Amino acid sequence: MKRAKLLGFSDRAIAKFTGRNELQVRNRRLELNITPFVKQIDTVAAEFPAYTNYLYMTYNASENDVDFEDHGVMVMGSGVYRIGSSVEFDWCAVRAIRTLRQNGFKTVMVNYNPETVSTDYDEADRLYFTNITLERVMDIYEIEKSQGVILSMGGQAPNNIALGLHRQKVKIYGTNPENIDGAENRYKFSRMLDQIGVDQPSWKELTKIEEAEAFCEEVGYPVLVRPSYVLSGAAMNVVFSKDDLSNYLQQAVTVSREHPVVITKYIEEAKEIDVDAVALDGKVIMHCISEHVENAGVHSGDATLVQPPQDLDPVTVRKIEEATAKIGKALAVTGPYNIQFMAKNNEIKVIECNVRAARSFPFVSKVTGVDLIELATKAMMGLPVVPYPNQGKKLNYVGVKVPQFSFSRLLGADPVLGVEMASTGEVAAFGRDKYDAYLKALVATGFRVPKQNILFSIGSFKEKQEMLPSIKLLHQMGFKIFATSGTADFIQEHNIPVKFLDADSQVEEYSLQQYLANNLIDLYINLPSKNRYRRPASYVSAGYKSRRMAIDYSVPLVTNIKCAKMFAEAIARYNPQKWEIANLDYISSHQTVVLPGLVSIDSLAVNFNHSDRFRAATRAAASGGFTTLVVNPNGPEFSASDDHTLAMIKTTTSGNAYVDYEFGV
C-alpha cells in the first residue's frame, strides 16, 4: 500500500487493481496509518527558507511543514480552464473567500490552476494546490480539522463529490447534498417537478433503438438525444426525422443497457431563460432573470444573455418566479442555484436545475449591483442577510453578455452554435438599450463592424422570410448586398439589389471563394438549415466550406438568425464611429451623484467685453446652487443691439462658464 502511494497511485486506482471500492482502500490505508504530509511550495528557489501558505500534499515526506490550528472553512475551486468551466467560477470562489475573511473566518482554498485568481497566495489563509477529488478533499479536511466545506462555487466538479463527502460525515455548508443529488439525478428531479406542479419536456431513458424510435413517434420530432457514451466526438444532438435518428444511433453512439440514451422532446421556436437565485432554508432571497437572444437549442454557455430581460411577457416572468420559488423550497436550497427554462406562448418548462453557482452569476451580479455570491456565502454561513437588497432600484441601462469563440485555433471545426458548448470566454457590456450593449460587447470580442459589403447565405425559406426586413434595413443604410444562389433569388424577388456569388464558380467576378480570400466581404451571415445530425458528409458541404473559409480568412461570421437580426438593428441605431464614453459604460469605486440644480430665468448682464467677469459671475452662480442661467444681454453696462455684438458675446463667453447658460434676447 505504502509503495503504491509513494508511486502516486490514488485510492481509486488501487481499488480498481485490487477489486475493491475506493472507500475500502481508504479505510485500510488509514488503519495502516498511511497518510500524506503537507509541504510548502518553495517560492524562493531554496535561497531562503520558504514561509508561504502555498501548500501541496505528498507521501514522499516525513513531516508536515505547517501546523493546523486555524480550522479554516474550505472552498473548492473549479480546477483547469476548459470549455464549460472558466474564469466565471474562479470569480465565484474568490468572492466567497473574500466574504468569509471579511467576516472573521479563516479560509482554505483548494484548487489546482495557476491561471486563477483564487490560487494567488494572498487570497486565502491557506491554499492547497491539488486535485479536487473525494480522496484529496477528505485528506485536507481531516488534517486541517476544518469547520466545513463550501462546494457550490467551483462548478460541476465539486458537486460531483458532494454525496460522497456527505456520506463520510463531512460538514458541508449550504444545501444538503441529498437535495443536490435530487437535482442532479434526472429521475428524482423529474418526479419532484411532477409533485410540485412544475412542467418539463417529455423525456425517457432508452436502451434499444426500437424503443427510441417508438418514443420519438409518440412525442413527435424534433427530439434532443443525449448519449451516455459516444464515439467520434459526437455528443448531444437535435434530431428532426426517423432517418436522422436511425443514422445517429447506429453510427455515432452505442445504445445498450450499459450505455442508454436519454431522449427529450425538443420544442422549436421556444425562448430560453436563465434564472440565477439565492435561497435561505428554501426561501428565495434574491433572483435575477436573464433572457437568451438565441432560441432554445443553443447551449447557455454559448448564448447571448440580456439582463434585465427586454422581451419577456409579464405573465411568463411571473410563472418563472413562481416555479423558481417552488423548486427552491422543494430542494430546501440554502445558497446559490440556477434554473434554465424554456418558454413559448406564455407556457414554461424546466430544462435543468443546478444547485450551485452558474457561469452567469458574475454577469448578473455586476448588472444588478448585488453580489449574489456574497449573499449566498452569508446565507450558507448563517450570517445576517437582507433579502432583495436592490428592491425598488430601477436600472437605467441594460447588460448584454456575448460569447467569445476560438474557432480560428480549432482547425476544421464547424462554427455553428448547437447544444454542445463551444465558447472559450465571454464579454459583457452596458448600454442604453440591448442594441447598444450588444454592439459594444460584440466589438469587444474583436468583431469588426462592416463598412460596405455583406454576404448572405440562408438555408430555410422560413428564415429567409424572417431575415428579409433586416436585409432591407441594411440595404437602406447603404450596404452592398451579396448572396449565394437561392438566397440571391429570394432577395431579388423582393426588389433589393443583390450580387450573386457562387461557391463553385471559377469566374473571379462571381467566386465566393475569391471574395472571402481577398477580404472583399466585411460580414458573412450564414444561416444553415436545421442543425441535423452531423454526418461526415456535412463537413464537405458548400455551407461548411464557406463558413470555415470565413473563419480562416478572419471574415466576421454570424450563424444564428436571432443574433443576425439583433446586429442589423444595432448598427442601424448606433454608429460605433460616434460612440462616446458614458457613465453607464464602466463601473468604478467612485460614485457619481446627480443633484437637481436651480435655474435662474432672468440673470442680469455683465460687461461682456471682459470674459473674466462672466467667468466670475457663473462661478458665483454655481456656488449658490444654480446650474443654468438665462442671461439678459441688455443691462446698464452693456447692450446687445446688433448681430456683431451678439457674435462678440458668444466668443467672449465660450469656454468661460462654470454652469450652463443661454441668452434671452
Side-chain angles (χ1 to χ4, degrees):
M1 175 77 80
K2 186 162 187 177
R3 177 165 172 75
K5 300 308 286 185
L6 288 170
L7 289 170
F9 286 94
S10 66
D11 288 350
R12 176 177 284 188
I14 295 170
K16 184 178 178 182
F17 290 131
T18 58
R20 294 179 171 85
N21 65 43
E22 184 177 355
L23 290 176
Q24 287 176 321
V25 172
R26 178 178 181 79
N27 292 335
R28 179 59 181 155
R29 175 167 62 77
L30 295 177
E31 286 173 10
L32 297 171
N33 200 29
I34 300 172
T35 55
F37 295 93
V38 176
K39 306 299 286 182
Q40 293 171 312
I41 292 177
D42 186 356
T43 56
V44 289
E47 290 186 49
F48 311 99
Y51 299 106
T52 174
N53 59 354
Y54 214 160
L55 310 172
Y56 67 100
M57 299 192 98
T58 180
Y59 287 88
N60 292 282
S62 56
E63 62 179 6
N64 295 311
D65 283 355
V66 293
D67 55 25
F68 307 100
E69 303 299 326
D70 285 352
H71 312 300
V73 176
M74 294 170 61
V75 178
M76 299 296 108
S78 59
V80 296
Y81 283 170
R82 59 195 180 280
I83 292 176
S85 177
S86 191
V87 70
E88 305 92 339
F89 294 116
D90 187 46
W91 182 88
C92 295
V94 169
R95 287 303 306 137
I97 285 281
R98 291 180 181 177
T99 301
L100 289 168
R101 297 184 82 180
Q102 286 163 7
N103 287 276
F105 291 93
K106 292 290 186 179
T107 54
V108 179
M109 185 71 216
V110 182
N111 205 1
Y112 57 100
N113 183 352
E115 289 183 286
T116 60
V117 177
S118 61
T119 51
D120 286 359
Y121 70 91
D122 56 352
E123 281 296 340
D125 296 295
R126 285 200 170 162
L127 165 65
Y128 280 87
F129 199 83
T130 182
N131 290 346
I132 300 170
T133 61
L134 180 65
E135 175 187 351
R136 189 55 81 224
V137 172
M138 285 290 298
D139 288 338
I140 298 170
Y141 179 80
E142 290 173 354
I143 201 166
E144 285 281 354
K145 301 180 180 63
S146 170
Q147 294 179 49
V149 183
I150 292 178
L151 296 170
S152 52
M153 303 301 168
Q156 194 57 38
N159 255 23
N160 291 341
I161 60 173
L163 210 52
L165 293 172
H166 177 64
R167 288 169 179 166
Q168 295 304 302
K169 305 293 188 283
V170 171
K171 167 68 176 173
I172 293 174
Y173 289 111
T175 308
N176 188 309
E178 298 283 356
N179 293 339
I180 294 175
D181 184 60
E184 298 279 344
N185 184 298
R186 178 169 285 273
Y187 288 101
K188 292 180 183 178
F189 186 61
S190 180
R191 188 164 57 245
M192 184 203 79
L193 291 178
D194 290 340
Q195 289 169 353
I196 63 176
V198 175
D199 200 9
Q200 59 185 315
S202 301
W203 70 277
K204 200 168 187 180
E205 189 174 83
L206 301 154
T207 56
K208 295 180 181 177
I209 292 178
E210 297 76 21
E211 292 175 353
E213 290 177 345
F215 176 74
C216 293
E217 291 296 333
E218 180 188 335
V219 298
Y221 291 94
V223 294
L224 179 66
V225 186
R226 309 174 186 224
S228 59
Y229 173 74
V230 297
L231 302 172
S232 306
M236 290 192 289
N237 255 293
V238 179
V239 173
F240 288 85
S241 68
K242 184 177 178 179
D243 289 341
D244 271 355
L245 178 71
S246 178
N247 285 328
Y248 179 68
L249 295 179
Q250 288 176 7
Q251 296 178 28
V253 301
T254 303
V255 185
S256 66
R257 190 169 295 279
E258 293 75 32
H259 305 300
V261 295
V262 174
I263 298 183
T264 307
K265 171 60 183 168
Y266 178 76
I267 299 172
E268 292 188 280
E269 304 297 325
K271 197 166 192 65
E272 190 164 333
I273 297 139
D274 263 47
V275 180
D276 297 301
V278 177
L280 176 59
D281 298 326
K283 184 177 180 181
V284 180
I285 57 174
M286 182 69 195
H287 76 275
C288 301
I289 298 174
S290 307
E291 64 175 325
H292 291 203
V293 170
E294 302 87 348
N295 281 337
V298 173
H299 192 286
S300 60
D302 290 350
T304 303
L305 246 61
V306 180
Q307 216 293 317
Q310 303 295 295
D311 299 320
L312 293 186
D313 190 288
V315 175
T316 299
V317 172
R318 179 177 52 77
K319 288 184 176 181
I320 286 170
E321 290 172 339
E322 289 172 356
T324 301
K326 283 182 179 179
I327 292 170
K329 184 178 180 181
L331 293 171
V333 176
T334 292
Y337 67 114
N338 165 271
I339 307 174
Q340 290 163 30
F341 293 92
M342 64 171 84
K344 187 176 182 180
N345 301 327
N346 283 338
E347 294 297 322
I348 65 164
K349 295 179 187 289
V350 173
I351 301 173
E352 67 174 353
C353 173
N354 297 303
V355 186
R356 56 169 172 79
R359 65 176 59 82
S360 47
F361 265 64
F363 171 63
V364 298
S365 294
K366 291 176 181 181
V367 174
T368 60
V370 177
D371 189 335
L372 269 68
I373 297 301
E374 181 181 352
L375 197 64
T377 304
K378 287 181 176 179
M380 290 189 287
M381 300 306 296
L383 298 170
V385 293
V386 178
Y388 292 96
N390 67 337
Q391 198 162 24
K393 177 186 174 185
K394 287 193 174 181
L395 300 179
N396 63 348
Y397 56 83
V398 175
V400 173
K401 176 180 76 71
V402 303
Q404 169 87 57
F405 297 96
S406 300
F407 288 121
S408 59
R409 300 186 182 188
L410 302 173
L411 188 64
D414 191 354
V416 175
L417 303 185
V419 289
E420 289 182 82
M421 185 171 169
S423 66
T424 52
E426 59 191 18
V427 175
F430 300 136
R432 286 162 284 183
D433 55 29
K434 66 178 183 179
Y435 302 105
D436 186 25
Y438 178 65
L439 200 54
K440 288 172 183 172
L442 206 57
V443 168
T445 66
F447 192 96
R448 295 193 311 276
V449 176
K451 294 180 180 177
Q452 186 178 9
N453 298 339
I454 300 178
L455 169 64
F456 288 89
S457 180
I458 307 172
S460 72
F461 181 72
K462 185 179 179 182
E463 290 192 338
K464 287 184 176 77
Q465 288 181 309
E466 188 177 346
M467 198 67 203
L468 183 61
S470 298
I471 297 172
K472 285 181 179 176
L473 180 63
L474 292 168
H475 167 63
Q476 289 164 5
M477 291 169 60
F479 287 102
K480 191 172 182 182
I481 307 299
F482 294 76
T484 53
S485 54
T487 308
D489 292 341
F490 176 82
I491 294 172
Q492 209 161 25
E493 284 172 11
H494 290 84
N495 302 316
I496 301 171
V498 59
K499 180 166 183 179
F500 163 67
L501 294 180
D502 185 8
D504 299 319
S505 176
Q506 301 300 314
V507 181
E508 189 170 324
E509 185 183 354
Y510 300 104
S511 170
L512 173 64
Q513 185 171 348
Q514 287 294 325
Y515 270 77
L516 289 173
N518 294 319
N519 287 114
L520 298 175
I521 299 297
D522 298 324
L523 171 65
Y524 184 18
I525 296 176
N526 178 289
L527 307 178
S529 298
K530 297 297 182 187
N531 183 24
R532 298 175 185 276
Y533 160 58
R534 294 178 186 173
R535 291 179 290 274
S538 69
Y539 286 96
V540 293
S541 68
Y544 163 73
K545 286 179 181 176
S546 67
R547 288 191 295 274
R548 192 61 235 178
M549 201 181 303
I551 293 295
D552 293 337
Y553 289 112
S554 301
V555 176
L557 175 70
V558 177
T559 59
N560 182 276
I561 187 164
K562 301 299 180 187
C563 291
K565 288 168 63 181
M566 190 163 169
F567 179 75
E569 184 64 33
I571 59 174
R573 293 184 182 213
Y574 298 102
N575 182 353
Q577 307 299 325
K578 297 180 181 178
W579 267 337
E580 292 183 358
I581 296 175
N583 286 341
L584 55 79
D585 286 324
Y586 57 88
I587 295 176
S588 76
S589 57
H590 301 288
Q591 188 173 5
T592 302
V593 179
V594 180
L595 299 173
L598 300 174
V599 178
S600 172
I601 60 171
D602 191 16
S603 301
L604 291 177
V606 295
N607 190 334
F608 289 103
N609 288 314
H610 305 285
S611 60
D612 56 339
R613 295 184 64 177
F614 181 72
R615 191 182 305 118
T618 56
R619 177 185 285 176
S623 301
F626 289 90
T627 58
T628 305
L629 299 181
V630 180
V631 181
N632 181 355
N634 297 303
E637 296 185 30
F638 193 89
S639 178
S641 55
D642 52 39
D643 290 342
H644 174 74
T645 312
L646 194 59
M648 185 271 289
I649 292 174
K650 289 180 180 178
T651 304
T652 305
T653 56
S654 179
N656 290 306
Y658 284 84
V659 296
D660 294 335
Y661 63 93
E662 59 183 82
F663 297 116
V665 180

